[in-house]
């Protein structure tokens, strides 16, 4: 997992931001398969409520 995998997914002409975002996503996916608590934490951070309070 690393630069080659991220480059393959987003393409060689991707911006730095796209490349780093995809690389981070791949790392979190890999860690999440080994550590369920990390997967839950990432889901909690990404969760956005539909309505406002």
């Amino acid at each position: 997992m690393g630069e080659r995998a991220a480059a393959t997914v987003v393409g060689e002409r991707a911006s730095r931001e796209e490349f780093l975002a995809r690389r981070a996503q791949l790392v979190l996916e890999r860690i999440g398969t080994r550590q369920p608590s990390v997967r839950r934490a990432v889901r909690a951070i990404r969760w956005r409520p539909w309505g406002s309070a």
Side-chain angles (χ1 to χ4, degrees):
M1 183 81 44
E3 291 181 23
R4 184 175 293 165
T8 300
V9 173
V10 295
E12 293 181 8
R13 299 180 196 266
S15 70
R16 289 180 185 165
E17 292 82 11
E18 292 171 320
F19 174 79
L20 289 175
R22 184 56 183 147
R23 186 167 181 193
Q25 187 178 23
L26 289 169
V27 168
L28 287 173
E29 288 172 5
R30 186 170 183 182
I31 293 171
T33 61
R34 298 175 185 173
Q35 298 292 328
S37 60
V38 171
R39 185 174 40 226
R40 287 190 298 271
V42 170
R43 270 195 241 136
I45 291 169
R46 290 182 179 165
W47 182 79
R48 300 286 187 252
W50 283 96
S52 59

